[in-house]
Amino acid sequence: MNSRVAGSLNKRARHLAFAPYAIFLLVFLVWPGLYVFRSAFDQGSAPKNPMIEAVTGQYRSSFIFSLRLSFVSAILGLVIGATVAVALMRLSHVRGLRNVVVGYSAVAANMGGIPLAFAFLAAFGMQGLATRLLKGINIDLIGWGFRISDFWGIVLVYLYFQIPLMTLVIVPALDGLRRTWSEAAQSLGASTRQYWRFVALPILTPALLGGFLLLVANAFAAYATAFALSAGSSKLVTVQIRFFLQGETITGKTNLGYALAAWMVIITAFLVLGFQVLSRRAERWRR
Amino acid sequence: MRRGRAGAWLVLVVVFVYYLVPMIAMTRFAFQRIPVIKLSFGNLFDKWTIAPLIETFKEPEFRSSASLSVQLAIATAALTLILLVPTMAVAHLRSKRMRRMIELSSTLPFVVPAIALVVGFAGAFRETLPMFIRSPFGLVPLYVITALPFTHRALENGLAALDLRTLVDASQSLGATWYRTVVFVIVPNIRASIATAAFLALTVVLGEFTIASLLLKNTLPLYLSYSQGQNPQGSFAVGLVLILISTIFVASSNRLGKVVRS
Amino acid sequence: MTGKVAFSNVSKSFGAVKALVEFSLSIDEGELLTLLGPSGCGKSTALRVAAGFETPDSGDVSIGGTSILSLPANKRGIGMVFQNYSLFPHLTVTQNLEFGMRVRNISRDKRSARVGELLELVRLSGLSDRYPHQISGGQQQRVALARALAVEPRVLLLDEPLSSLDATVRIEVREEIRRIQRASGIATIFVTHDQEEALAISDRICVMSIGRIEQVGAPDVVYRSPATEFVARFVGKVNDIEIEVLSSTKARLHGHSQEIEIASAGKNAGLGAARLLIRPEDVQIVRPDSARPNVRGTVKTINFGGATTTADVEISGTGHLVRVADSTRNMRYRVGDSVHIAFDTERALLARGGA
Ligand SMILES: Nc1ncnc2c1ncn2[C@@H]1O[C@H](COP(=O)(O)OP(=O)(O)OP(=O)(O)O)[C@@H](O)[C@H]1O
Ligand SMILES: [Mg+2]
């Protein structure tokens, strides 16, 4: 340790240096978080504890809807995103292709919110351009009951950022696969399928799991896109929470919004923990 | 091998079409003076105009929300940097444990979704510090937290690529104070990742809807959402501009990220 | 089961780079042949063509008389060991060794019996449950070798298997490879750009330069009688001395009056300016009154190298530096000593042209 730095920045000062950041997080993240939980468990004059009411009846189906949406869009995002990454690997001889795709993925992964919803309304809304185009070739989405604000509609929109997010996670992971592994596997008699099944996939598993978790949480927390697609009437938990904050008029149920939010935090934390455990197991060989 | 390549091209083309279609639809909707119902292949090149955008730019509501969004974006970027740069620099210099704690804390917003954060914030601050709820700048701390996972990563990359200890030792052996060291030695050396972090913060704020919507602050995304009814063309046009801006921001932060790594 | 491996007229280019040009070579059963050459000369390409990772532009590769070019890499029965990082990182040593047998659906009992044998063969029985990153580089390469042998390949290809190891481990693993190769009797092609390694391990050496074969022969032959200037320079150290050829048996050092014998070396050089390529151990320090023709010089540097020592001697009058090697016992000179050196040109090579 250098004495001069230590002198000007002694132990006390060092801890002081972290104080602004720590206080900031306490005030603007931890305190609101704790407030959510405190209110969520506060029954007040309501007939039922909000934490219980939040996962029964109407709200239970909201959670199921949100979670299903998150998992379905994450699984599709994983599969398609991985396919794109593998396609890029196959086409590695095409100069510049990878940079373009990865660059656009970074852009698209950050997209979302209102503008993205608009884009899909313009394309796949009732009178959307794509909707009418497809109808012209006898693919009648609306006739089949497809609505952009419904489950599969939202999935279609979410994929716009889920796919590139996954591609961004997998491309570097694929780079980590050494050519010698595939060649060693082949020289030992493995077919391409066996190589992927026994070598590449197990090595990629931690990255895939991490990416999948990212996608699930990403979709679970999303709000704006679904809100705009459905003009504020979506079944999503996030959209439901809004009612309680704005209209504290629903008598006796003031704290239900907090309970919904608390459950969201619990579920996300649970997902993170679960994936931590899975990744750790998939990663045993790293340590 | 050849067959594999054809399949790979097919995958990319299909995905590309999926990415292109909504953007084309939105562009045509916003910038062609043709009723939606009538848009078709036949009139692809007819009646293009940027009038919807110009007209919207003249609206006072648009102006006020655009200016609010820009101010919030700048304030958020500034607060992020003021808060993170010195803290992370000290952590890098002095304490591996602190570095890890900061890293961990930067992923917390991931566990607390924006909607939960804003609900808790509104509840907690309404009773004690209502000015945070009343003033639109009360959004800034929440935005800083929302952007934290991204901004932290950007700065972390920059600091990790640097031999901070040597730099700081050299600076302080010349008698510089800690403050001067941060401003004149550390900051210039990580300016690429500072810019990256700033771009990411700006992108997050310009697109953020959840928090502003629940606190009823008229930012640009809220304006889009409200004006969709009366001025659909204009709001779609502005939406496109927003997409374009965030594309530019992300692309620049990507480019800068490459500078950091090399 | 194993058979003669033969490359015939194999050519392979990558764009403008010709990695192999009309490459023809055969490796006998049980033989260890080394491909030796500088970086980029096409050694790996030759192996990769044989293993099925590259398709040659023309020519054929056969094992035991049958062409293997139409077989995919995983059907060729060729074991391969790479420079490094070729063990599967997520599998333990045992699982790595079992891999080839698992994809062939060999029963569990047979697999574990074979793994036991292999671990013994490479003397790693204690490490069976470790992951690759938990064992040393030398141990990893021994596991890689055992893994390649596990499926009883017809041919073993080793692409610079020692180059990522440090000097002492390198020699240890090299001897291990030699022992195991002898024991298994598998035809083996070993690639290296380290001439000392090649000399130590091979039955025969094939010296390559930019896609072509320069010489094939036993290590002592390649060393003692290099066929070309390239071989002389690449295998072992060589002095490059400007001379003037006077007749088919006589020459004179450039700028010096002393004549030397070039009897056997002079066969393919005309008269006039030439260069004498002679190994340090073929130059001796002799007594001034020696019967052999000799020249006077001054010792400029002494390089102690364990059993042998070399001295750089500057020839008086010409300023030419000549390296002399001898056993350390005989080398009792100091820097600055005045000495006489004689040239034993029997195995030296004459090259055309002055410097
Ligand atoms: N896949 C490839 N694409 C383009 N050029 C290649 C490829 N593989 C090899 N080459 C070129 O072919 C030549 C021979 O390469 P090769 O790998 O066989 O050399 P090497 O003798 O093994 O060298 P080293 O000792 O460095 O491993 C080199 O010039 C190399 O750049
Ligand atoms: Mg090579």
Side-chain angles (χ1 to χ4, degrees), chain A residues 21 35 132 156 160 164 242, chain B residues 18-19 36-37 105 127 169 213:
Chain A
Y21 178 73
Y35 189 90
R132 281 187 295 112
L156 184 73
Y160 206 87
R242 173 195 180 81
Chain B
Y18 165 73
Y19 275 89
V36 196
I37 303 274
S105 69
E127 297 151 18
D169 284 356
S213 143

Side-chain angles (χ1 to χ4, degrees), chain B residues 15-241:
Chain B
V15 172
F16 179 69
V17 168
Y18 165 73
Y19 275 89
L20 210 57
V21 165
M23 291 304 141
I24 292 179
M26 189 178 182
T27 312
R28 295 194 63 184
F29 181 89
F31 293 114
Q32 277 186 292
R33 278 248 180 274
I34 300 174
V36 196
I37 303 274
K38 298 229 174 90
L39 285 173
S40 70
F41 272 129
N43 50 23
L44 181 57
F45 298 106
D46 300 349
K47 297 190 181 170
W48 284 85
T49 169
I50 54 163
L53 198 59
I54 308 267
E55 279 154 27
T56 312
F57 280 172
K58 288 184 191 145
E59 275 183 33
E61 296 87 37
F62 167 81
R63 288 176 172 231
S64 69
S65 58
S67 116
L68 175 60
S69 268
V70 170
Q71 289 175 47
L72 287 176
I74 293 170
T76 303
L79 182 59
T80 298
L81 295 179
I82 292 171
L83 208 55
L84 285 185
V85 172
T87 312
M88 288 178 64
V90 177
H92 265 260
L93 265 177
R94 282 285 153 236
S95 160
K96 218 169 186 146
R97 220 182 74 223
M98 275 300 172
R99 213 172 126 184
R100 244 183 254 127
M101 298 243 306
I102 294 176
E103 175 129 40
L104 195 72
S105 69
S106 80
T107 59
L108 273 181
F110 192 61
V111 184
V112 185
I115 186 93
L117 181 67
V118 67
V119 165
F121 174 80
F125 281 67
R126 183 170 293 131
E127 297 151 18
T128 41
L129 293 161
M131 77 248 194
F132 272 98
I133 310 257
R134 246 180 277 126
S135 161
F137 286 90
L139 293 173
V140 171
L142 296 189
Y143 284 176
V144 170
I145 285 177
T146 313
L148 192 58
F150 310 104
T151 50
H152 171 270
R153 189 95 295 273
L155 293 173
E156 179 72 24
N157 287 345
L159 286 168
L162 211 63
D163 184 5
L164 210 53
R165 159 117 346 116
T166 311
L167 276 177
V168 171
D169 284 356
S171 152
Q172 307 217 326
S173 70
L174 295 171
T177 62
W178 175 239
Y179 165 78
R180 293 180 67 88
T181 304
V182 169
V183 174
F184 295 109
V185 178
I186 297 179
V187 167
N189 272 295
I190 56 167
R191 52 175 191 269
S193 45
I194 285 182
T196 307
F199 276 130
L200 291 172
L202 297 179
T203 313
V204 167
V205 176
L206 288 184
E208 210 291 327
F209 179 75
T210 315
I211 295 172
S213 143
L214 269 85
L215 293 178
L216 301 172
K217 302 289 178 267
N218 260 318
T219 60
L220 208 43
L222 251 82
Y223 167 82
L224 289 185
S225 159
Y226 289 137
S227 64
Q228 187 193 352
Q230 322 109 35
N231 178 14
Q233 266 200 312
S235 62
F236 275 45
V238 174
L240 259 178
V241 171

